[in-house]
Every structure is written in C-alpha cells, then in structure tokens.
Amino acid sequence: MQHQSKLPNVGTTIFSVMSALANTHKAINLSQGFPNYPSSQKLNNLVTSAMHNGYNQYAPMAGNLDLRLAISNKYQLLYKNTYHPEKEITVTAGATQAIYTIISAFVRPNDEVIIFKPAYDCYEPAVHVNGGKVTPIQLSVPNYKVDWAEVASKISDKTKMIMINSPHNPSGTIWTKNDMLQLQKLTIDTNIIVLSDEVYEHIVFDGEQHQSACLFSDLKQRSFITASFGKTFHNTGWKIGYCCAPDYLMAEFRKVHQFNVFSVHHPSQKGIADYMQDAETYLSLNAFFQQKRDLFLNLISASRFKFKPSQGTYFQVLEYSNITNKNDVDFAKQLTTEFKIAAIPLSVFNKNKKDDKVLRFCFAKTDETLVKAAEILCKI
Ligand code: PMP
Ligand code: GLN
C-alpha cells in the first residue's frame, strides 16, 4: 500500500528530540518545558480522594461541573469576567487537544490562519491536517514586537483565524494592552475567530498584568481562550486543560470534542476543582517563578550569553553570538552532548527556520538544578 502523508514535512517534535538527547547524555534538561520538582502533595491527595470517592467513570462530556464552576470563578476573580460554566467552558486533554479541536471545528480547506512566528509547534500541523493554509508573520529578536500594519496587510477575505499566545512560548515576551486593542480593531466586524493561547496566564513578571482576550469585549465575542493545568499546577503529565468561548462558538467546539475525546480523566478534574477553591494555588505562581527567573539570571549574569529578562512563561531566551557562529540546532546539540546542558533552539519555531542564534532554557526547575545549570553556562 502507498499513502501520501498528510504532513510530509513534519518530523518528531523538538521537545522529544532534545529530551531524549538529554537523557542519553545525562545532561541537565532545560529543554522541554516541565518542572523537575513534585506536583503539590495536597493536590495529589485530592485526586486520590476523588478516586476513592467514586469519580472513576466518564465525566460529563464538557467536564466535571465543579471544575467548570471553579474555572468560571477564576475568570470572575481575575478579570471580572463571566464564562457560563455549563455553556462556555470545556475541559480538555491539555491545551494541545483544545487547540487541535478548535482548529478542526472551524478551519476548512484553503482557509487562512495567521500565526505569529516563532510559534509553539502544535499550531501549524493542526491547521495543515485540516486543509488550512498558514499565513506566517515573523517577529524579530529580541523584542518580538508585532507590526500591526503588517498584520493588517496579511488579513484577507480567506482569513478564518488568528492564533495568538501571550505570555509567549518560546520568547518569554508578553503582549501589551495596546497589542490587544490593535487586534480587536483589526478583527471588529469580521468573521475572524481568535485563538488566544493563554497557558502561561499566571506566569507574568515584574508586576505586569496578563492581558487576557476576555478583557476586551469585542475580542471576547470572537475568541477561544486555551489554558493548561499542567503549566499552572506543575503536573504536565496529567494533560488536563480547558478552553473558554462564547456559547455560540463553544457549541461548535463540542460537536467535535465529543467525538475527538468525549471527556478526560475524571479524578484529576475533581481533584483540581477542589484544589482551586483556594485561589492562592494559582495567584502565587507569579512570585514563585519570578524567584526562579531572578535566581537563574543572577547566576548567569557573568556568562557570555546575552539576554533580556523573560517577561512571562517559565522560559528564558539566551543569545550566544559572542560564543560561536554555529547554527542554533547544532549548538543546542553540542551543549547537550559536550557540556551536559540541554536547551531548545528557536529556529525550529521560525518562518523558514530562521536562525537568530538564540536558545530557550526552561527555569521550572529546583534551585539546586538552576545553580548547577548556571555553573555550566558560565564556563562556556
Ligand atoms: N501552548 C503553549 C504555548 C505551550 O507551551 C504548551 C505546552 N504546555 C501547550 C500549548 C500545550 O499544553 P498542554 O501540555 O496542556 O497540552
Ligand atoms: N510545552 C512544552 C514546551 O514548550 C512542551 C510540550 C511537549 O513536549 N509537547 O517545552
């Protein structure tokens, strides 16, 4: 038999590649984004209790209602904003499934989807597999600022969706209120759906505020917001996330979601719902990660890497042109095999694999790991 690949240009994701290389070479793994400290014991106990208390059969298709209520309360608390727990919130198998399902529910062959590059690597294949076309907009190091005139020039009558992501993986930059207002202005009176990937909403530094799409009334009416408990509660392996959208969009989402996954791991949902009753569980995240960012940056300040402090996410981008002319993929491999420290090369997320000589380091690690990592980086 012969099959024409639906994704002929897609290989194995860089996250699997670099983590495997780090394991083989026993390198400190600051590549794939996951914590190396435990998920909260209290949360683990709540999930275990949920299992003991009978939450072991299918959750409702849209998610455990206690969890949807907890999510709804969070939007009220943080953004004075309402998402109806029954009609406007759906629990998913991580943000990845939410993103895939949103795209599947709306993007038809030849529809155009605007994606800002560098972009998280699950966005583009999901568009392609559904027959859509990606319109990339490349942002530039080190500030990754959007040129809104350029965005205006890229919008056409085929533009179905614009995907945004703030705080931004991999650059660690955040969008300002003005960015969101510009996006709102450009999309007003159009049929464009906005997919606002906000998985790092609780990780914003230096007193800045996260500019959620739900804060802008017209944007909210056309937006899906995606979120990840893996990022918020330090358990990326649980793969629980959710999305919010106005009911008319969510109804279409659920038509696909019910046949894509139907529902996700029930005891985790109930445990997370109980855990979220204390808002500190997510409000404390900014300070928790700011301490880690500051520690890491202080420790590497004498190194030959150049950087602008990350504004959000748990990633720090380091520029290495003082050290070598190697391309970023080769340098990332050399760092892993020779220096025993793994990072992610940013070119893989760029348009035409543009190499800016920058690497992404994950600082969601114990202080001890960050100290060891910094010692290595300072010797390079
Ligand atoms: N979007 C971005 C920007 C991410 O960094 C990630 C990785 N956490 C995801 C989506 C996927 O999240 P999840 O692991 O919950 O599927
Ligand atoms: N979101 C994680 C990162 O950016 C990786 C998730 C994955 O491995 N697919 O590193």
Side-chain angles (χ1 to χ4, degrees), residues 262-274:
F262 184 72
S263 66
V264 305
H265 194 254
H266 200 170
S268 304
Q269 293 191 55
K270 175 62 178 153
I272 292 170
D274 293 342

Side-chain angles (χ1 to χ4, degrees), residues 47 54 145 226 342 344 378:
V47 174
K145 284 305 284 178
T226 55
I344 296 285
C378 287

Side-chain angles (χ1 to χ4, degrees), residues 94-96 99 120 123 165 169 197 199-200 228 231 239:
T96 310
I99 291 164
Y120 186 59
Y123 298 174
N165 170 221
N169 179 10
D197 184 4
V199 298
Y200 300 101
S228 168
K231 298 291 161 186
K239 291 300 290 190

Side-chain angles (χ1 to χ4, degrees), residues 15-180:
F15 304 119
S16 302
V17 171
M18 291 312 301
S19 274
L21 200 66
N23 289 339
T24 306
H25 292 273
K26 300 197 172 25
I28 297 179
N29 189 1
L30 304 194
S31 65
Q32 193 178 21
F34 63 88
N36 73 339
Y37 44 82
S39 157
S40 133
Q41 192 57 49
K42 182 179 171 193
L43 175 55
N44 295 352
N45 290 343
L46 288 168
V47 174
T48 310
S49 299
M51 287 183 188
H52 289 309
N53 292 332
Y55 289 84
N56 299 306
Q57 308 308 331
Y58 293 125
M61 184 265 276
N64 173 281
L65 192 55
D66 288 349
L67 180 54
R68 284 184 279 148
L69 276 165
I71 295 166
S72 179
N73 289 340
K74 186 190 84 169
Y75 279 89
Q76 199 56 50
L77 178 74
L78 284 182
Y79 309 112
K80 307 262 173 298
N81 217 285
T82 312
Y83 280 106
H84 194 287
E86 285 178 17
K87 294 184 181 154
E88 300 187 313
I89 297 170
T90 302
V91 181
T92 58
T96 310
Q97 184 240 314
I99 291 164
Y100 188 86
T101 305
I102 294 162
I103 292 170
S104 300
F106 292 97
V107 173
R108 294 167 192 268
N110 298 319
D111 279 349
E112 292 175 4
V113 177
I114 292 180
I115 295 183
F116 296 91
K117 308 285 273 178
Y120 186 59
D121 71 346
C122 81
Y123 298 174
E124 215 167 311
V127 174
H128 288 148
V129 117
N130 285 286
K133 292 189 171 149
V134 170
T135 305
I137 296 182
Q138 179 66 48
L139 306 180
S140 302
V141 278
N143 295 324
Y144 299 92
K145 284 305 284 178
V146 178
D147 172 351
W148 287 101
E150 183 185 2
V151 181
S153 75
K154 294 278 167 73
I155 292 178
S156 79
D157 54 6
K158 293 209 177 105
T159 306
K160 181 75 198 178
M161 187 178 285
I162 300 180
M163 297 181 71
I164 66 172
N165 170 221
S166 176
H168 182 242
N169 179 10
S171 73
T173 54
I174 56 175
W175 278 22
T176 61
K177 184 174 179 185
N178 184 50
D179 287 318
M180 300 304 281

